[in-house]
Amino acid sequence: MSDEVGRAFVPGHITGFFSIHEADDPERAGSRGAGLTLSEGVTVTVEPAAETSIELNGEFAAVESGRRVLDELDETARISAETTLPLGSGFGVSGAVALGTAYAANDVFGDGRSENELVTLAHKAEVAAGTGLGDVVAQARGGIPIRLEPGGPEHNRLDGVPTRATVEYLSLGELSTAEVLSGSTNRLSRAGVDALVALVNQPTLQTFMAESNAFAERTGLLTDEVRAVIDDVHAAGGYASMAMLGETVFALDTGLSDAGYDARACKTHHAGATVLE
Amino acid sequence: MSDEVGRAFVPGHITGFFSIHEADDPERAGSRGAGLTLSEGVTVTVEPAAETSIELNGEFAAVESGRRVLDELDETARISAETTLPLGSGFGVSGAVALGTAYAANDVFGDGRSENELVTLAHKAEVAAGTGLGDVVAQARGGIPIRLEPGGPEHNRLDGVPTRATVEYLSLGELSTAEVLSGSTNRLSRAGVDALVALVNQPTLQTFMAESNAFAERTGLLTDEVRAVIDDVHAAGGYASMAMLGETVFALDTGLSDAGYDARACKTHHAGATVLE
């Protein structure tokens, strides 16, 4: 812990399927579903300053979730976030900026809040910003999180698939979470609950991939381009699905490379968000 | 994941203070309190076998918690646990063997249980064996866990202190958890609840150390030898307390070395129990 800056690392998070749960209180709102947290993530540095500013990979960025966290803490600071993950592509970068800002700010300002309090702050900021519903609580836990009940840590219920995986991914473009979430979501949520029930019955990586595929099909979120890549991975004997919400294909092991794609590789991450020294 | 053996790593856990919560159902029984999970821990290997046997650091060991986990899973296997932590000294080794056995056995036998199910199994085995009340749920979480409510994952409530620490420790001898827990524990539990309330009000490492000290004093668990070492660390400007339950002193940073002791060093561990590849 330095007196000058606070730093935190937050793993990336790919959602395989989800259902939406609205509530007037953002602490109770959120999603149920399951995903993979990733060894690639976001490192957030918070440095006290007279005015709040946010940079993402060295460029000014209006990450509303991060700004809301600082406002809620009643602090002003320079937030710098660095990530190797693609932006706007379903890796939970905005959730990571919110959660990393909460952890790093608590560290540098000595606010003395608990992990649950910080996760709650970041979850509420992310929900209020409309950029995500379940990434923050998944990223606070790490591993392969199953979100059994929605909301912040005082309300939700989490479980996990007890295994590890190597993950490859390929991003074909951006997709606006806020736009999808503002459309009709009844069919989406029904498909998400069906997938969750199946995963709870058999909490394995194989079930997670199969249900993620079924969810992508049933919700009509698959674009032709994403579908073509997934089909290629399946044809090569691998497992792949679409990151929710991004125009991104993720695969287990070397599924994308085996199908001839130039993909990035990482692993599932078995710690949640952490303050860095 | 190999088809031949399953492997898991479980961090060690030093409890600073605790209160005891009895219940007929071992899933609801347990303790509240707080502690540090450690980068040193226990690696458990589970290999299917006609009869169950348990080895700890290469020697036959009657670790009842581990055997109970396998019995509950209705499997037989050779369990081999390896650790650099001192045994019987307050590092949660029996809890780690239980939890590591659950994770590794699930992996090798393909039982398809979730993390919560495995943590529940291990917690119940540990409580039934009388060797611990809160280590397993802390070791499943990692970090610096605060156990707000007792019991397994379906009943408890956890939080954490959002920071990291370097930890030194010195073990002076063994102490039987079962023996202490079988004595009168009213005063102990009152002191544990007082310490927990203080930590919840100000969830920092400083509060954790101060309340661990107060707990050790109030409960009369401090032996003269342990007290002398803690006094030396405090005299040298450091922070130290007693591991519950072991004749072990733990200190932040280089507190023990600074006071002239030949101590072992490790760090807090920011992942819970994990299956190894």
Side-chain angles (χ1 to χ4, degrees):
Chain A
M1 186 171 68
S2 149
D3 293 327
E4 309 285 316
V5 302
R7 290 174 67 232
F9 174 79
V10 184
H13 180 241
I14 288 176
T15 296
F17 57 81
F18 68 104
S19 58
I20 296 170
H21 300 266
E22 289 174 0
D24 290 336
D25 179 359
E27 200 179 323
R28 290 177 183 271
S31 60
R32 302 203 278 172
L36 307 171
T37 63
L38 304 179
S39 54
E40 274 187 81
V42 181
T43 300
V44 179
T45 304
V46 171
E47 188 179 0
E51 285 196 11
T52 291
S53 65
I54 306 186
E55 279 178 23
L56 187 51
N57 291 340
E59 293 185 14
F60 171 78
V63 186
E64 191 188 333
S65 58
R67 178 177 296 272
R68 280 176 179 265
V69 166
L70 271 196
D71 288 351
E72 196 65 35
L73 289 170
D74 203 19
E75 306 281 8
T76 55
R78 179 170 176 260
I79 303 173
S80 317
E82 297 282 338
T83 185
T84 51
L85 292 168
L87 307 180
S89 304
F91 291 91
V93 170
S94 64
V97 171
L99 188 52
T101 298
Y103 272 55
N106 182 72
D107 199 44
V108 70
F109 290 112
D111 284 342
R113 294 180 193 240
S114 75
E115 290 188 347
N116 287 357
E117 289 172 320
L118 297 172
V119 176
T120 298
L121 266 180
H123 173 76
K124 287 168 69 176
E126 172 85 332
V127 169
T131 41
L133 291 168
D135 286 329
V136 168
V137 298
Q139 290 166 318
R141 178 185 171 101
I144 303 175
I146 307 173
R147 288 171 283 117
L148 299 168
E149 297 293 346
E154 301 300 328
H155 304 286
N156 69 14
R157 215 154 56 85
L158 302 176
D159 200 347
V161 179
T163 191
R164 287 171 177 275
T166 298
V167 180
E168 282 190 344
Y169 64 81
L170 180 68
S171 281
L172 306 168
E174 300 193 9
L175 204 67
S176 163
T177 297
E179 211 163 285
V180 173
L181 296 186
S182 68
S184 165
T185 55
N186 286 343
R187 188 167 62 162
L188 183 155
S189 287
R190 272 200 305 276
V193 169
D194 287 349
L196 183 62
V197 168
L199 184 62
V200 167
N201 277 332
Q202 183 72 12
T204 64
L205 206 50
Q206 290 70 28
T207 309
F208 169 73
M209 294 303 293
E211 293 301 324
S212 295
N213 266 295
F215 176 83
E217 283 290 351
R218 283 182 207 147
T219 53
L221 287 167
L222 274 184
T223 60
D224 289 344
E225 222 180 340
V226 165
R227 184 197 302 272
V229 177
I230 293 174
D231 286 349
D232 285 345
V233 173
H234 289 167
Y239 297 91
S241 194
M242 175 179 165
M244 300 295 164
L245 292 162
E247 198 151 341
T248 296
V249 179
F250 69 98
L252 296 185
D253 300 315
T254 52
L256 279 157
S257 309
D258 292 350
Y261 290 95
D262 185 18
R264 286 184 61 101
C266 60
K267 289 177 175 283
T268 49
H269 187 69
H270 288 272
T274 45
V275 167
L276 300 175
E277 286 171 290
Chain B
M1 188 171 66
S2 148
D3 292 327
E4 309 283 318
V5 302
R7 288 173 70 231
F9 174 78
V10 184
H13 179 241
I14 288 176
T15 296
F17 57 82
F18 68 105
S19 59
I20 296 169
H21 299 266
E22 290 174 357
D24 290 336
D25 179 359
E27 201 179 323
R28 291 177 182 271
S31 60
R32 303 202 276 171
L36 308 171
T37 64
L38 305 179
S39 54
E40 274 187 84
V42 181
T43 300
V44 179
T45 305
V46 171
E47 189 179 359
E51 286 195 8
T52 290
S53 65
I54 307 186
E55 278 177 22
L56 187 52
N57 290 341
E59 295 184 14
F60 170 79
V63 186
E64 191 188 335
S65 58
R67 179 175 295 271
R68 279 175 179 267
V69 166
L70 272 195
D71 288 351
E72 197 65 34
L73 289 169
D74 203 19
E75 305 282 8
T76 55
R78 178 169 177 263
I79 304 174
S80 317
E82 298 281 338
T83 185
T84 51
L85 292 169
L87 307 179
S89 304
F91 291 92
V93 170
S94 64
V97 170
L99 188 53
T101 298
Y103 271 56
N106 182 72
D107 198 45
V108 69
F109 290 112
D111 284 343
R113 293 179 194 241
S114 75
E115 291 188 344
N116 287 358
E117 289 171 319
L118 297 171
V119 177
T120 298
L121 268 178
H123 173 77
K124 287 168 70 176
E126 171 86 332
V127 168
T131 42
L133 291 169
D135 285 329
V136 168
V137 298
Q139 290 166 319
R141 178 185 171 103
I144 304 176
I146 306 173
R147 289 171 285 117
L148 297 169
E149 297 293 345
E154 300 301 329
H155 303 287
N156 70 12
R157 215 154 56 86
L158 301 176
D159 199 347
V161 179
T163 190
R164 288 172 176 270
T166 298
V167 180
E168 281 190 342
Y169 65 81
L170 180 69
S171 281
L172 306 169
E174 300 194 7
L175 202 69
S176 163
T177 298
E179 211 164 285
V180 173
L181 296 186
S182 67
S184 166
T185 55
N186 287 344
R187 189 167 60 162
L188 183 155
S189 286
R190 272 200 305 275
V193 170
D194 286 350
L196 183 61
V197 168
L199 184 62
V200 167
N201 277 332
Q202 182 73 8
T204 64
L205 206 49
Q206 290 69 27
T207 308
F208 169 73
M209 293 305 292
E211 293 302 323
S212 294
N213 267 296
F215 177 83
E217 284 289 352
R218 283 182 208 150
T219 54
L221 287 168
L222 272 184
T223 60
D224 289 345
E225 221 180 339
V226 165
R227 183 197 301 274
V229 176
I230 293 174
D231 285 350
D232 285 346
V233 173
H234 288 169
Y239 297 90
S241 194
M242 174 178 165
M244 298 296 163
L245 290 163
E247 199 153 337
T248 296
V249 178
F250 68 98
L252 296 186
D253 300 316
T254 51
L256 279 158
S257 309
D258 293 348
Y261 290 96
D262 185 17
R264 285 184 61 101
C266 60
K267 288 177 176 283
T268 49
H269 187 68
H270 288 270
T274 45
V275 168
L276 300 175
E277 286 170 292

